[in-house]
Amino acid sequence: MRNIENSLANLLSQDFGKLILRVSIAGLMLFHGIAKLLNGIGGIKGLVAKAGFPEFLAYGVYFGEILFPILMIIGLYTRISSIFFAGTMAFAIYLAHGHEIFALGKTGGPVIELALIYLLASIAILFLGAGKYSFDKK
């Protein structure tokens, strides 16, 4: 069993794992950003205003769900982008799910599960960095 593990360790690399993590998390978030680009952010403006923040903060979603994910995918300013990505997700959890942070959904998982996965994965990327397959490494 140890020989199989060692063979896999030689074949697979941490850098490729970092690439998969970056592309999957940021790539999936990009779909959310594109939807907001096409359909507008009226709902987010309402949530921001209802929470007592200036409405213009809603436009930050374009950075958090389009610009920073693109930078993370290509591996450019990855750690900085992941900080802002995480901040976007923390703000989204606060705005959209602040009243149900500890609530469980119909399937037993937390209601904030998807946003929480994005938040925690972006924090992991902050600590891991972009890896070899990135512009940060060049």
Side-chain angles (χ1 to χ4, degrees), residues 29 89 97 111:
M29 178 52 71
M89 294 318 304
H97 302 289
V111 172

Side-chain angles (χ1 to χ4, degrees), residues 28-109:
L28 290 170
M29 178 52 71
L30 203 51
F31 285 101
H32 293 270
I34 291 170
K36 288 175 181 72
L37 191 62
L38 296 175
N39 302 316
I41 57 169
I44 295 172
K45 285 181 180 178
L47 288 172
V48 168
K50 183 179 175 184
F53 294 105
E55 195 174 270
F56 76 87
L57 287 179
Y59 290 95
V61 75
Y62 293 126
F63 293 96
E65 294 186 9
I66 297 174
L67 177 63
F68 297 126
I70 288 172
L71 290 174
M72 289 170 66
I73 289 168
I74 65 174
L76 183 62
Y77 304 113
T78 305
R79 290 182 195 263
I80 294 168
S81 296
S82 68
I83 290 171
F84 287 106
F85 187 106
T88 300
M89 294 318 304
F91 197 56
I93 290 170
Y94 172 76
L95 288 178
H97 302 289
H99 61 285
E100 56 189 3
I101 287 181
F102 299 107
L104 299 178
K106 294 176 186 174
T107 60

